[in-house]
Amino acid sequence: MDADYPAKGVKFACRNTKLPGVVSSPERYADLRNQAQKRVDATVLVGEIDGRLVGAITMYRWGTPGNEAWIHGGSGLRYLAVDPKFAGRGLSSFFIDEAKKLAFAWRASAICLRVRHGAIGVQKLYLRHGWKRDEDGDLDLRPEILLDGFSLLL
């Protein structure tokens, strides 16, 4: 299943190639596609190279709809995505650094995020950038999904 963005002619695959057998619900796909609501509730940082959309990350301020931060005053980081054709070029780190700058500008107390349980590579990415495993943020929605919490105190 692909998410179409006809205004830009861009398609992003919603399949999980790193965790074989992981299938997201129709509700999850609808949430991923709902860019209009994300832009109302959050700040969506988008990266382009030569006019091509190569990735995005979404940041939520404390108290806004969609912010899932469990630390008082925390920003919520969600939806980091990089086009697989641009993998390995440091774009994830660039997006994370920009998200940190935004949270500092908002004077957030922390940045909270969740990663699918078992997505070791993604977890290592955030650990390299200073996040700590935070079981207070774990979210168990099995049988669909189990998410591990991570927080970065600012």
Side-chain angles (χ1 to χ4, degrees), residues 14-42:
C14 294
R15 295 174 202 93
N16 191 323
T17 58
K18 301 288 183 187
L19 296 171
V22 172
V23 178
S24 294
S25 69
E27 292 81 15
R28 172 73 173 151
Y29 286 123
D31 181 46
L32 290 170
R33 287 190 183 107
N34 192 356
Q35 290 298 312
Q37 190 62 47
K38 285 179 189 68
R39 289 184 180 111
V40 169
D41 297 334

mmCIF file of all heavy atoms in Angstrom, residues 14-42:
data_model
loop_
_atom_site.group_PDB
_atom_site.id
_atom_site.type_symbol
_atom_site.label_atom_id
_atom_site.label_comp_id
_atom_site.label_asym_id
_atom_site.label_seq_id
_atom_site.Cartn_x
_atom_site.Cartn_y
_atom_site.Cartn_z
ATOM 1 N N CYS A 14 4.631 2.342 2.469
ATOM 2 C CA CYS A 14 4.329 2.182 3.882
ATOM 3 C C CYS A 14 4.631 0.766 4.353
ATOM 4 O O CYS A 14 4.243 0.373 5.431
ATOM 5 C CB CYS A 14 2.854 2.510 4.147
ATOM 6 S SG CYS A 14 2.458 4.236 3.866
ATOM 7 N N ARG A 15 5.300 -0.009 3.528
ATOM 8 C CA ARG A 15 5.682 -1.360 3.928
ATOM 9 C C ARG A 15 6.878 -1.295 4.859
ATOM 10 O O ARG A 15 7.699 -0.403 4.743
ATOM 11 C CB ARG A 15 6.053 -2.189 2.699
ATOM 12 C CG ARG A 15 4.902 -2.421 1.775
ATOM 13 C CD ARG A 15 5.395 -3.116 0.501
ATOM 14 N NE ARG A 15 4.445 -2.882 -0.550
ATOM 15 C CZ ARG A 15 4.520 -1.883 -1.412
ATOM 16 N NH1 ARG A 15 5.509 -1.046 -1.385
ATOM 17 N NH2 ARG A 15 3.595 -1.740 -2.327
ATOM 18 N N ASN A 16 6.982 -2.266 5.729
ATOM 19 C CA ASN A 16 8.120 -2.307 6.631
ATOM 20 C C ASN A 16 9.088 -3.358 6.127
ATOM 21 O O ASN A 16 8.881 -4.544 6.327
ATOM 22 C CB ASN A 16 7.662 -2.623 8.058
ATOM 23 C CG ASN A 16 8.772 -2.420 9.042
ATOM 24 O OD1 ASN A 16 9.927 -2.711 8.750
ATOM 25 N ND2 ASN A 16 8.435 -1.914 10.204
ATOM 26 N N THR A 17 10.158 -2.919 5.479
ATOM 27 C CA THR A 17 11.108 -3.869 4.904
ATOM 28 C C THR A 17 12.127 -4.342 5.929
ATOM 29 O O THR A 17 12.777 -5.344 5.721
ATOM 30 C CB THR A 17 11.854 -3.231 3.717
ATOM 31 O OG1 THR A 17 12.514 -2.056 4.179
ATOM 32 C CG2 THR A 17 10.893 -2.884 2.598
ATOM 33 N N LYS A 18 12.277 -3.616 7.042
ATOM 34 C CA LYS A 18 13.262 -3.976 8.054
ATOM 35 C C LYS A 18 12.731 -5.022 9.032
ATOM 36 O O LYS A 18 13.500 -5.708 9.678
ATOM 37 C CB LYS A 18 13.703 -2.737 8.845
ATOM 38 C CG LYS A 18 14.318 -1.666 7.985
ATOM 39 C CD LYS A 18 15.688 -2.064 7.499
ATOM 40 C CE LYS A 18 16.306 -0.931 6.707
ATOM 41 N NZ LYS A 18 17.525 -1.252 6.080
ATOM 42 N N LEU A 19 11.424 -5.096 9.191
ATOM 43 C CA LEU A 19 10.814 -6.052 10.110
ATOM 44 C C LEU A 19 9.838 -6.920 9.322
ATOM 45 O O LEU A 19 8.641 -6.667 9.300
ATOM 46 C CB LEU A 19 10.081 -5.328 11.249
ATOM 47 C CG LEU A 19 10.953 -4.497 12.181
ATOM 48 C CD1 LEU A 19 10.099 -3.662 13.125
ATOM 49 C CD2 LEU A 19 11.888 -5.381 12.976
ATOM 50 N N PRO A 20 10.335 -7.943 8.656
ATOM 51 C CA PRO A 20 9.459 -8.790 7.843
ATOM 52 C C PRO A 20 8.306 -9.332 8.676
ATOM 53 O O PRO A 20 8.456 -9.668 9.845
ATOM 54 C CB PRO A 20 10.387 -9.926 7.385
ATOM 55 C CG PRO A 20 11.761 -9.381 7.527
ATOM 56 C CD PRO A 20 11.713 -8.404 8.668
ATOM 57 N N GLY A 21 7.153 -9.378 8.043
ATOM 58 C CA GLY A 21 5.977 -9.905 8.723
ATOM 59 C C GLY A 21 5.209 -8.852 9.502
ATOM 60 O O GLY A 21 4.117 -9.121 9.981
ATOM 61 N N VAL A 22 5.772 -7.626 9.642
ATOM 62 C CA VAL A 22 5.070 -6.569 10.354
ATOM 63 C C VAL A 22 4.086 -5.925 9.383
ATOM 64 O O VAL A 22 4.456 -5.487 8.306
ATOM 65 C CB VAL A 22 6.043 -5.510 10.907
ATOM 66 C CG1 VAL A 22 5.286 -4.321 11.464
ATOM 67 C CG2 VAL A 22 6.941 -6.132 11.965
ATOM 68 N N VAL A 23 2.844 -5.902 9.790
ATOM 69 C CA VAL A 23 1.795 -5.313 8.959
ATOM 70 C C VAL A 23 1.060 -4.288 9.806
ATOM 71 O O VAL A 23 0.691 -4.568 10.945
ATOM 72 C CB VAL A 23 0.807 -6.387 8.464
ATOM 73 C CG1 VAL A 23 -0.298 -5.754 7.640
ATOM 74 C CG2 VAL A 23 1.541 -7.449 7.659
ATOM 75 N N SER A 24 0.884 -3.111 9.273
ATOM 76 C CA SER A 24 0.161 -2.067 9.981
ATOM 77 C C SER A 24 -1.314 -2.108 9.617
ATOM 78 O O SER A 24 -1.682 -2.510 8.521
ATOM 79 C CB SER A 24 0.741 -0.696 9.661
ATOM 80 O OG SER A 24 2.055 -0.587 10.167
ATOM 81 N N SER A 25 -2.126 -1.644 10.540
ATOM 82 C CA SER A 25 -3.576 -1.630 10.352
ATOM 83 C C SER A 25 -3.974 -0.524 9.377
ATOM 84 O O SER A 25 -3.218 0.427 9.146
ATOM 85 C CB SER A 25 -4.266 -1.381 11.692
ATOM 86 O OG SER A 25 -4.012 -0.050 12.121
ATOM 87 N N PRO A 26 -5.190 -0.607 8.840
ATOM 88 C CA PRO A 26 -5.691 0.482 7.997
ATOM 89 C C PRO A 26 -5.712 1.817 8.754
ATOM 90 O O PRO A 26 -5.463 2.866 8.167
ATOM 91 C CB PRO A 26 -7.102 0.033 7.635
ATOM 92 C CG PRO A 26 -7.061 -1.461 7.737
ATOM 93 C CD PRO A 26 -6.104 -1.746 8.862
ATOM 94 N N GLU A 27 -5.959 1.776 10.066
ATOM 95 C CA GLU A 27 -5.950 3.004 10.858
ATOM 96 C C GLU A 27 -4.558 3.624 10.897
ATOM 97 O O GLU A 27 -4.410 4.836 10.833
ATOM 98 C CB GLU A 27 -6.442 2.725 12.289
ATOM 99 C CG GLU A 27 -7.909 2.349 12.376
ATOM 100 C CD GLU A 27 -8.199 0.884 12.039
ATOM 101 O OE1 GLU A 27 -7.266 0.064 12.008
ATOM 102 O OE2 GLU A 27 -9.371 0.571 11.794
ATOM 103 N N ARG A 28 -3.544 2.781 10.999
ATOM 104 C CA ARG A 28 -2.168 3.274 11.006
ATOM 105 C C ARG A 28 -1.828 3.938 9.671
ATOM 106 O O ARG A 28 -1.240 5.008 9.621
ATOM 107 C CB ARG A 28 -1.193 2.116 11.291
ATOM 108 C CG ARG A 28 0.270 2.475 11.146
ATOM 109 C CD ARG A 28 0.777 3.345 12.264
ATOM 110 N NE ARG A 28 2.225 3.499 12.126
ATOM 111 C CZ ARG A 28 2.881 4.540 12.528
ATOM 112 N NH1 ARG A 28 2.265 5.518 13.136
ATOM 113 N NH2 ARG A 28 4.180 4.619 12.361
ATOM 114 N N TYR A 29 -2.212 3.287 8.573
ATOM 115 C CA TYR A 29 -1.963 3.875 7.258
ATOM 116 C C TYR A 29 -2.709 5.198 7.102
ATOM 117 O O TYR A 29 -2.171 6.164 6.563
ATOM 118 C CB TYR A 29 -2.363 2.913 6.140
ATOM 119 C CG TYR A 29 -1.398 1.766 5.960
ATOM 120 C CD1 TYR A 29 -1.831 0.457 6.045
ATOM 121 C CD2 TYR A 29 -0.055 1.996 5.691
ATOM 122 C CE1 TYR A 29 -0.941 -0.600 5.883
ATOM 123 C CE2 TYR A 29 0.834 0.956 5.530
ATOM 124 C CZ TYR A 29 0.383 -0.343 5.620
ATOM 125 O OH TYR A 29 1.256 -1.380 5.462
ATOM 126 N N ALA A 30 -3.938 5.259 7.596
ATOM 127 C CA ALA A 30 -4.707 6.505 7.515
ATOM 128 C C ALA A 30 -4.011 7.607 8.306
ATOM 129 O O ALA A 30 -3.925 8.758 7.864
ATOM 130 C CB ALA A 30 -6.127 6.280 8.019
ATOM 131 N N ASP A 31 -3.480 7.260 9.484
ATOM 132 C CA ASP A 31 -2.757 8.220 10.304
ATOM 133 C C ASP A 31 -1.506 8.716 9.575
ATOM 134 O O ASP A 31 -1.215 9.913 9.559
ATOM 135 C CB ASP A 31 -2.388 7.583 11.648
ATOM 136 C CG ASP A 31 -1.659 8.543 12.565
ATOM 137 O OD1 ASP A 31 -2.093 9.702 12.697
ATOM 138 O OD2 ASP A 31 -0.639 8.124 13.150
ATOM 139 N N LEU A 32 -0.770 7.808 8.959
ATOM 140 C CA LEU A 32 0.428 8.204 8.220
ATOM 141 C C LEU A 32 0.100 9.139 7.065
ATOM 142 O O LEU A 32 0.863 10.054 6.748
ATOM 143 C CB LEU A 32 1.157 6.963 7.690
ATOM 144 C CG LEU A 32 1.833 6.098 8.739
ATOM 145 C CD1 LEU A 32 2.304 4.790 8.110
ATOM 146 C CD2 LEU A 32 2.987 6.822 9.393
ATOM 147 N N ARG A 33 -1.036 8.930 6.428
ATOM 148 C CA ARG A 33 -1.422 9.741 5.267
ATOM 149 C C ARG A 33 -2.010 11.098 5.643
ATOM 150 O O ARG A 33 -2.099 11.974 4.798
ATOM 151 C CB ARG A 33 -2.461 8.984 4.448
ATOM 152 C CG ARG A 33 -1.898 7.852 3.683
ATOM 153 C CD ARG A 33 -2.972 7.325 2.727
ATOM 154 N NE ARG A 33 -2.453 6.194 2.045
ATOM 155 C CZ ARG A 33 -2.813 4.942 2.273
ATOM 156 N NH1 ARG A 33 -3.723 4.665 3.160
ATOM 157 N NH2 ARG A 33 -2.268 3.960 1.606
ATOM 158 N N ASN A 34 -2.424 11.277 6.879
ATOM 159 C CA ASN A 34 -3.174 12.461 7.271
ATOM 160 C C ASN A 34 -2.257 13.665 7.487
ATOM 161 O O ASN A 34 -2.146 14.205 8.582
ATOM 162 C CB ASN A 34 -3.998 12.168 8.528
ATOM 163 C CG ASN A 34 -5.008 13.256 8.802
ATOM 164 O OD1 ASN A 34 -5.058 14.271 8.109
ATOM 165 N ND2 ASN A 34 -5.817 13.046 9.820
ATOM 166 N N GLN A 35 -1.610 14.094 6.426
ATOM 167 C CA GLN A 35 -0.680 15.217 6.495
ATOM 168 C C GLN A 35 -1.382 16.526 6.830
ATOM 169 O O GLN A 35 -0.812 17.363 7.531
ATOM 170 C CB GLN A 35 0.088 15.345 5.182
ATOM 171 C CG GLN A 35 1.076 14.234 4.940
ATOM 172 C CD GLN A 35 2.158 14.207 5.998
ATOM 173 O OE1 GLN A 35 2.754 15.225 6.330
ATOM 174 N NE2 GLN A 35 2.393 13.039 6.568
ATOM 175 N N ALA A 36 -2.588 16.713 6.367
ATOM 176 C CA ALA A 36 -3.291 17.973 6.636
ATOM 177 C C ALA A 36 -3.464 18.177 8.135
ATOM 178 O O ALA A 36 -3.205 19.271 8.653
ATOM 179 C CB ALA A 36 -4.639 17.977 5.928
ATOM 180 N N GLN A 37 -3.861 17.148 8.861
ATOM 181 C CA GLN A 37 -4.042 17.283 10.311
ATOM 182 C C GLN A 37 -2.708 17.474 11.020
ATOM 183 O O GLN A 37 -2.616 18.245 11.974
ATOM 184 C CB GLN A 37 -4.774 16.071 10.891
ATOM 185 C CG GLN A 37 -5.188 16.269 12.342
ATOM 186 C CD GLN A 37 -6.168 17.415 12.513
ATOM 187 O OE1 GLN A 37 -7.133 17.531 11.790
ATOM 188 N NE2 GLN A 37 -5.892 18.297 13.470
ATOM 189 N N LYS A 38 -1.674 16.780 10.562
ATOM 190 C CA LYS A 38 -0.360 16.952 11.175
ATOM 191 C C LYS A 38 0.094 18.409 11.057
ATOM 192 O O LYS A 38 0.669 18.967 11.992
ATOM 193 C CB LYS A 38 0.661 16.028 10.519
ATOM 194 C CG LYS A 38 0.517 14.574 10.926
ATOM 195 C CD LYS A 38 1.545 13.735 10.201
ATOM 196 C CE LYS A 38 1.303 12.275 10.398
ATOM 197 N NZ LYS A 38 0.089 11.770 9.769
ATOM 198 N N ARG A 39 -0.180 19.040 9.941
ATOM 199 C CA ARG A 39 0.246 20.418 9.743
ATOM 200 C C ARG A 39 -0.559 21.395 10.587
ATOM 201 O O ARG A 39 -0.098 22.491 10.867
ATOM 202 C CB ARG A 39 0.190 20.773 8.264
ATOM 203 C CG ARG A 39 1.288 20.069 7.496
ATOM 204 C CD ARG A 39 1.346 20.468 6.039
ATOM 205 N NE ARG A 39 2.416 19.763 5.394
ATOM 206 C CZ ARG A 39 2.246 18.819 4.483
ATOM 207 N NH1 ARG A 39 1.034 18.475 4.103
ATOM 208 N NH2 ARG A 39 3.277 18.211 3.951
ATOM 209 N N VAL A 40 -1.765 21.000 11.004
ATOM 210 C CA VAL A 40 -2.557 21.824 11.914
ATOM 211 C C VAL A 40 -2.015 21.711 13.334
ATOM 212 O O VAL A 40 -1.871 22.696 14.045
ATOM 213 C CB VAL A 40 -4.048 21.400 11.875
ATOM 214 C CG1 VAL A 40 -4.839 22.043 13.000
ATOM 215 C CG2 VAL A 40 -4.667 21.747 10.529
ATOM 216 N N ASP A 41 -1.698 20.496 13.750
ATOM 217 C CA ASP A 41 -1.341 20.215 15.143
ATOM 218 C C ASP A 41 0.148 20.262 15.437
ATOM 219 O O ASP A 41 0.534 20.368 16.603
ATOM 220 C CB ASP A 41 -1.845 18.818 15.540
ATOM 221 C CG ASP A 41 -3.357 18.706 15.480
ATOM 222 O OD1 ASP A 41 -4.045 19.734 15.627
ATOM 223 O OD2 ASP A 41 -3.849 17.578 15.282
ATOM 224 N N ALA A 42 0.984 20.154 14.426
ATOM 225 C CA ALA A 42 2.410 19.961 14.656
ATOM 226 C C ALA A 42 3.232 20.751 13.640
ATOM 227 O O ALA A 42 2.692 21.404 12.754
ATOM 228 C CB ALA A 42 2.746 18.474 14.539
#
